[in-house]
Coordinates of all heavy atoms in Angstrom, one line a residue:
H241 N 48.2 125.9 112.8 CA 47.8 125.6 111.4 C 46.8 124.4 111.5 O 46.6 123.7 112.6 CB 48.9 125.2 110.5 CG 49.7 126.3 110.1 ND1 49.4 127.1 109.1 CD2 51.0 126.8 110.4 CE1 50.3 128.1 108.8 NE2 51.2 128.0 109.7
E242 N 46.2 124.1 110.3 CA 45.2 123.1 110.1 C 45.7 121.9 109.3 O 45.1 120.8 109.3 CB 43.9 123.5 109.6 CG 43.3 124.7 110.5 CD 42.0 125.2 109.8 OE1 41.6 124.7 108.7 OE2 41.2 126.0 110.5
R243 N 46.8 122.1 108.6 CA 47.3 121.1 107.6 C 48.8 121.1 107.8 O 49.3 121.9 108.5 CB 46.8 121.4 106.2 CG 45.4 121.2 106.0 CD 44.9 121.4 104.5 NE 43.5 121.1 104.3 CZ 42.9 121.2 103.1 NH1 43.6 121.5 102.1 NH2 41.6 121.0 103.0
P244 N 49.4 120.2 107.1 CA 50.9 120.1 107.2 C 51.7 121.4 107.0 O 51.3 122.2 106.1 CB 51.3 119.0 106.1 CG 50.1 118.2 106.0 CD 48.9 119.2 106.3
I245 N 52.7 121.6 107.8 CA 53.5 122.8 107.7 C 54.7 122.5 106.7 O 55.5 121.7 107.0 CB 54.1 123.2 109.1 CG1 53.0 123.4 110.1 CG2 55.0 124.3 109.0 CD1 53.3 123.7 111.5
T246 N 54.7 123.3 105.6 CA 55.7 123.0 104.6 C 56.9 123.8 104.7 O 58.0 123.4 104.1 CB 55.0 123.3 103.2 OG1 54.5 124.6 103.2 CG2 53.9 122.3 103.0
S247 N 56.9 125.0 105.4 CA 58.1 125.8 105.5 C 58.0 126.7 106.6 O 56.9 127.0 107.2 CB 58.3 126.6 104.2 OG 59.4 127.4 104.3
M248 N 59.1 127.2 107.1 CA 59.2 128.1 108.3 C 60.5 128.9 108.3 O 61.4 128.5 107.6 CB 59.1 127.3 109.6 CG 60.2 126.4 109.8 SD 60.2 125.5 111.5 CE 58.6 124.8 111.4
G260 N 54.5 128.5 106.9 CA 53.6 128.3 105.8 C 53.1 126.9 105.7 O 53.8 125.9 106.2
S261 N 52.0 126.8 105.2 CA 51.3 125.4 105.3 C 50.5 125.1 104.0 O 50.2 126.0 103.2 CB 50.3 125.3 106.5 OG 49.6 124.1 106.5
T262 N 50.0 123.9 103.9 CA 49.1 123.5 102.8 C 47.7 124.0 103.0 O 46.8 123.8 102.1 CB 49.2 122.0 102.5 OG1 48.8 121.4 103.8 CG2 50.5 121.5 102.2
D263 N 47.5 124.6 104.1 CA 46.1 125.2 104.3 C 46.1 126.6 103.6 O 45.1 127.4 103.9 CB 45.8 125.3 105.8 CG 46.7 126.1 106.5 OD1 47.7 126.7 106.0 OD2 46.6 126.1 107.8
T500 N 60.4 111.3 102.1 CA 58.9 111.6 102.2 C 58.5 112.6 101.1 O 57.5 113.2 101.2 CB 58.6 112.2 103.6 OG1 59.4 113.3 103.8 CG2 58.8 111.2 104.6
Q503 N 55.2 112.5 99.0 CA 53.9 113.0 99.6 C 54.1 114.4 99.9 O 53.2 115.3 99.8 CB 53.5 112.2 100.8 CG 52.2 112.6 101.4 CD 51.8 111.7 102.5 OE1 52.4 110.8 102.9 NE2 50.6 112.0 103.1
Y504 N 55.3 114.8 100.5 CA 55.6 116.2 100.9 C 56.8 116.6 100.2 O 57.9 116.2 100.5 CB 55.7 116.3 102.5 CG 54.6 115.7 103.2 CD1 54.7 114.5 103.9 CD2 53.4 116.4 103.2 CE1 53.7 114.0 104.5 CE2 52.3 115.8 104.0 CZ 52.5 114.6 104.6 OH 51.4 114.1 105.3
T506 N 58.5 119.4 99.9 CA 59.3 120.3 100.6 C 60.1 119.7 101.8 O 60.6 120.5 102.6 CB 58.5 121.6 101.1 OG1 57.5 121.1 102.0 CG2 58.0 122.2 99.9
S507 N 60.2 118.4 101.9 CA 60.9 117.8 103.0 C 62.4 118.2 102.9 O 63.1 118.0 101.9 CB 60.9 116.3 102.9 OG 59.5 115.8 103.0
S522 N 62.3 112.3 109.6 CA 62.0 110.9 109.2 C 60.5 110.8 109.0 O 59.7 111.6 109.4 CB 62.6 109.9 110.1 OG 61.8 109.8 111.4
Q523 N 60.2 109.6 108.4 CA 58.7 109.4 108.2 C 58.0 109.1 109.4 O 56.8 109.2 109.5 CB 58.5 108.3 107.1 CG 57.1 108.1 106.6 CD 57.1 107.1 105.4 OE1 58.1 106.5 105.1 NE2 55.9 107.0 104.8
E524 N 58.7 108.5 110.4 CA 58.1 108.2 111.7 C 58.0 109.4 112.6 O 57.4 109.2 113.8 CB 58.9 107.1 112.4 CG 58.9 105.8 111.5 CD 60.0 105.8 110.5 OE1 60.7 106.8 110.4 OE2 59.8 104.9 109.6
G525 N 58.5 110.6 112.2 CA 58.4 111.7 113.1 C 59.5 111.9 114.0 O 59.4 112.6 115.1
V543 N 59.9 113.3 117.8 CA 59.2 114.6 118.0 C 57.7 114.4 117.9 O 56.9 114.9 118.8 CB 59.8 115.6 117.0 CG1 59.1 116.9 117.2 CG2 61.2 115.8 117.2
T544 N 57.3 113.9 116.7 CA 55.8 113.7 116.5 C 55.6 112.3 116.0 O 56.1 111.9 115.0 CB 55.3 114.7 115.4 OG1 56.1 114.6 114.2 CG2 55.4 116.1 115.8
A545 N 55.0 111.5 116.8 CA 54.9 110.1 116.6 C 53.9 109.9 115.4 O 52.9 110.4 115.3 CB 54.3 109.4 117.8
N546 N 54.4 109.0 114.4 CA 53.7 108.6 113.2 C 53.3 109.8 112.4 O 52.3 109.7 111.7 CB 52.5 107.7 113.7 CG 52.8 106.6 114.5 OD1 53.9 105.9 114.2 ND2 52.0 106.2 115.4
S547 N 54.0 110.9 112.5 CA 53.8 112.0 111.6 C 55.0 112.6 111.1 O 56.0 113.0 111.9 CB 53.1 113.1 112.4 OG 52.7 114.2 111.6
P548 N 55.2 112.6 109.8 CA 56.6 112.9 109.2 C 57.0 114.3 109.6 O 56.0 115.3 109.5 CB 56.4 112.8 107.6 CG 55.2 111.8 107.6 CD 54.3 112.1 108.7
I549 N 58.2 114.7 109.7 CA 58.7 116.0 109.9 C 59.0 116.5 108.5 O 59.8 115.8 107.7 CB 60.0 115.9 110.8 CG1 59.6 115.5 112.2 CG2 60.6 117.3 110.8 CD1 60.7 115.5 113.2
I550 N 58.6 117.6 108.1 CA 58.6 118.3 106.8 C 59.7 119.2 106.8 O 60.7 119.3 106.0 CB 57.3 118.7 106.2 CG1 56.3 117.6 106.3 CG2 57.5 119.3 104.8 CD1 54.9 118.1 105.9
S551 N 59.5 120.4 107.6 CA 60.4 121.5 107.5 C 61.2 121.6 108.9 O 60.8 121.1 109.9 CB 59.6 122.8 107.4 OG 58.6 122.8 108.4
T563 N 60.9 122.4 114.2 CA 60.4 121.4 113.3 C 58.9 121.7 112.9 O 58.1 122.1 113.8 CB 60.5 120.0 113.8 OG1 59.7 119.9 115.0 CG2 62.0 119.8 114.2
G564 N 58.6 121.4 111.6 CA 57.2 121.5 111.2 C 56.7 120.1 110.7 O 57.4 119.5 109.9
S565 N 55.6 119.6 111.2 CA 55.3 118.2 110.9 C 54.0 118.2 110.1 O 53.3 119.2 109.9 CB 55.0 117.5 112.3 OG 56.2 117.5 113.0
A566 N 53.7 116.9 109.7 CA 52.5 116.7 108.8 C 51.2 116.8 109.7 O 50.1 116.9 109.1 CB 52.6 115.4 108.1
N567 N 51.3 116.8 111.0 CA 50.1 116.9 111.8 C 49.8 118.3 112.2 O 49.1 118.6 113.2 CB 50.3 116.1 113.1 CG 51.5 116.4 114.0 OD1 52.2 117.3 113.6 ND2 51.6 115.9 115.1
A568 N 50.4 119.3 111.5 CA 50.2 120.8 111.6 C 50.7 121.3 112.9 O 50.2 122.3 113.5 CB 48.7 121.1 111.5
E569 N 51.7 120.7 113.5 CA 52.3 121.1 114.8 C 53.7 121.7 114.5 O 54.5 121.1 113.8 CB 52.4 120.0 115.8 CG 51.1 119.6 116.4 CD 51.2 118.4 117.4 OE1 52.3 118.1 117.7 OE2 50.1 118.0 117.9
T570 N 54.0 122.7 115.2 CA 55.4 123.3 115.2 C 56.1 123.1 116.6 O 55.5 123.6 117.6 CB 55.3 124.8 114.9 OG1 54.6 125.1 113.6 CG2 56.7 125.4 114.7
H571 N 57.1 122.3 116.5 CA 57.8 122.1 117.8 C 59.1 122.9 117.9 O 59.9 123.0 116.9 CB 58.2 120.6 117.9 CG 57.0 119.7 118.1 ND1 56.8 119.0 119.3 CD2 56.0 119.4 117.3 CE1 55.6 118.4 119.2 NE2 55.1 118.6 118.0

Side-chain angles (χ1 to χ4, degrees):
H241 284 281
E242 299 177 357
R243 291 187 179 180
I245 299 174
T246 56
S247 180
M248 59 176 57
S261 170
T262 56
D263 59 4
T500 58
Q503 186 177 3
Y504 306 105
T506 58
S507 299
S522 66
Q523 193 171 4
E524 295 79 15
V543 179
T544 53
N546 301 324
S547 181
I549 295 179
I550 304 174
S551 55
T563 64
S565 306
N567 61 354
E569 291 183 358
T570 303
H571 289 248

